[in-house]
């Protein structure tokens, strides 16, 4: 192996692990952080070069990297990044997402913004449209959340019967429905409007309140409760 390819032979301050231990993770580039996850390279390529190749495949964009699945990463066929290394990267991305998500589940939901960020980080990186529901109790605390359906790249259809069966089983007094738009578009479609009206009317028969329907994407979120005057 050439000396320049061996990270252990670099100046100590240039080695990613040493830099993180002495300065902290914020002083490392995205490529350096990915290289630490990869741990080592190949006989011809060091971990930094592997990390750079991976990051470039995502157009040097963390959001695009976060949207990649295990098959997506393996399909890149980057020599030196196999299944184990790809899984390490996915695990790190998931931990980052959960770090942001966890606080909202411990507090009362007072407004759409309280839960929108949780939903945004749960769904925004999904490449398929996913429909989920959050069930709340009388104190407006989340008691259960569940994915109801998953679609392709262009959409998904949620069955209201499954939704209300779930709400009754958990004795919920209110619920929030949510889905993502992989395209990034935040404005609801006509189908979104029709589904929302249908679910809202049906909820009245069960004495359960539809608190909101939230659409999320990498661009932010759209709340029916906030945007619709007649909500």
């Amino acid at each position: 192996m050439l000396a320049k390819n061996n990270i252990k032979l670099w100046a100590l301050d240039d080695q990613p692990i040493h830099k993180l231990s002495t300065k902290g993770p914020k002083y490392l580039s995205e490529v350096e952080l990915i290289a630490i996850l990869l741990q080592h390279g190949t006989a011809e390529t060091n971990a930094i070069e592997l990390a750079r190749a991976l990051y470039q495949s995502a157009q040097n964009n963390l959001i695009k990297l976060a949207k990649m699945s295990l098959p997506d990463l393996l399909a890149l066929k980057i020599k030196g990044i196999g299944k184990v290394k790809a899984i390490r990267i996915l695990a790190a991305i998931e931990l980052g997402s959960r770090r942001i998500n966890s606080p909202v589940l411990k507090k009362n939901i007072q407004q759409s913004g309280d839960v929108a960020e949780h939903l945004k980080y749960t769904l925004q990186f999904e490449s398929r449209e996913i429909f989920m529901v959050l069930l709340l109790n009388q104190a407006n605390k989340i008691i259960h959340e569940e994915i109801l359906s998953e679609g392709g790249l262009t959409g998904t259809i949620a069955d209201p019967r499954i939704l209300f069966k779930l709400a009754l089983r958990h004795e919920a007094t209110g619920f929030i429905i949510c889905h993502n738009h992989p395209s990034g578009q935040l404005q609801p479609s006509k189908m979104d409007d029709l589904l929302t009206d249908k679910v809202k009317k049906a909820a009245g028969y069960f004495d359960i309140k539809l608190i909101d329907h939230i659409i999320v994407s990498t661009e932010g979120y759209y709340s029916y409760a906030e945007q619709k005057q007649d909500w």
Side-chain angles (χ1 to χ4, degrees), residues 210-230:
L210 173 59
I211 296 171
D212 203 349
H213 181 180
I214 297 175
I215 300 170
V216 297
S217 78
T218 53
E219 302 302 314
Y221 76 92
Y222 177 96
S223 162
Y224 273 79
E226 291 179 353
Q227 300 294 331
K228 300 292 186 180
Q229 295 182 353
D230 59 347

Side-chain angles (χ1 to χ4, degrees), residues 10-74:
W10 291 5
L12 202 58
D13 287 343
D14 292 333
Q15 296 180 25
I17 290 178
H18 179 77
K19 188 186 295 188
L20 190 149
S21 65
T22 56
K23 296 183 178 181
K26 294 186 182 300
Y27 285 87
L28 276 71
S29 68
E30 285 85 352
V31 167
E32 290 172 319
L33 290 170
I34 294 171
I36 290 176
L37 293 173
L38 296 177
Q39 294 187 352
H40 55 79
T42 67
E44 300 83 19
T45 309
N46 62 42
I48 287 286
E49 292 169 339
L50 279 182
R52 185 174 293 113
L54 175 60
Y55 199 43
Q56 288 176 347
S57 72
Q59 299 177 22
N60 297 320
N61 187 309
L62 280 178
I63 291 177
K64 291 184 178 180
L65 180 61
K67 286 185 175 182
M68 289 186 175
S69 64
L70 181 58
D72 291 335
L73 292 173
L74 296 178

Side-chain angles (χ1 to χ4, degrees), residues 1-230:
M1 180 186 293
L2 297 176
K4 68 177 182 178
N5 279 342
N6 192 336
I7 294 177
K8 292 181 180 179
L9 298 179
W10 291 5
L12 202 58
D13 287 343
D14 292 333
Q15 296 180 25
I17 290 178
H18 179 77
K19 188 186 295 188
L20 190 149
S21 65
T22 56
K23 296 183 178 181
K26 294 186 182 300
Y27 285 87
L28 276 71
S29 68
E30 285 85 352
V31 167
E32 290 172 319
L33 290 170
I34 294 171
I36 290 176
L37 293 173
L38 296 177
Q39 294 187 352
H40 55 79
T42 67
E44 300 83 19
T45 309
N46 62 42
I48 287 286
E49 292 169 339
L50 279 182
R52 185 174 293 113
L54 175 60
Y55 199 43
Q56 288 176 347
S57 72
Q59 299 177 22
N60 297 320
N61 187 309
L62 280 178
I63 291 177
K64 291 184 178 180
L65 180 61
K67 286 185 175 182
M68 289 186 175
S69 64
L70 181 58
D72 291 335
L73 292 173
L74 296 178
L76 296 174
K77 297 188 182 301
I78 298 175
K79 186 178 179 181
I81 300 181
K83 186 175 181 179
V84 173
K85 289 180 180 178
I87 287 173
R88 288 196 195 112
I89 293 167
L90 294 177
I93 291 170
E94 180 63 21
L95 279 173
S97 178
R98 292 187 187 187
R99 176 191 176 194
I100 297 169
N101 293 342
S102 57
V104 73
L105 300 179
K106 298 179 180 179
K107 66 180 181 180
N108 293 357
I109 303 302
Q110 301 296 331
Q111 55 188 2
S112 298
D114 289 337
V115 73
E117 286 303 306
H118 166 65
L119 294 168
K120 180 174 178 289
Y121 281 97
T122 300
L123 299 178
Q124 68 171 339
F125 298 129
E126 295 290 339
S127 58
R128 297 180 300 170
E129 190 167 296
I130 294 176
F131 189 98
M132 66 183 297
V133 61
L134 303 182
L135 303 178
L136 284 71
N137 62 15
Q138 191 68 41
N140 265 9
K141 285 188 176 180
I142 298 173
I143 55 176
H144 182 75
E145 68 175 75
E146 186 168 320
I147 292 175
L148 296 180
S149 63
E150 299 184 32
L153 295 174
T154 56
T156 184
I157 298 175
D159 188 339
R161 294 173 297 180
I162 298 175
L163 191 160
F164 289 112
K165 182 178 180 179
L166 190 66
L168 292 170
R169 186 198 314 160
H170 288 274
E171 299 182 346
T173 59
F175 64 97
I176 297 170
I177 54 177
C178 173
H179 73 281
N180 62 317
H181 280 175
S183 66
Q185 171 67 33
L186 279 177
Q187 290 300 312
S189 65
K190 290 184 178 180
M191 185 176 292
D192 293 334
D193 290 340
L194 289 173
L195 176 63
T196 303
D197 290 340
K198 184 177 182 179
V199 171
K200 188 175 182 181
K201 290 176 181 177
Y205 292 106
F206 294 99
D207 198 25
I208 304 174
K209 183 179 180 181
L210 173 59
I211 296 171
D212 203 349
H213 181 180
I214 297 175
I215 300 170
V216 297
S217 78
T218 53
E219 302 302 314
Y221 76 92
Y222 177 96
S223 162
Y224 273 79
E226 291 179 353
Q227 300 294 331
K228 300 292 186 180
Q229 295 182 353
D230 59 347

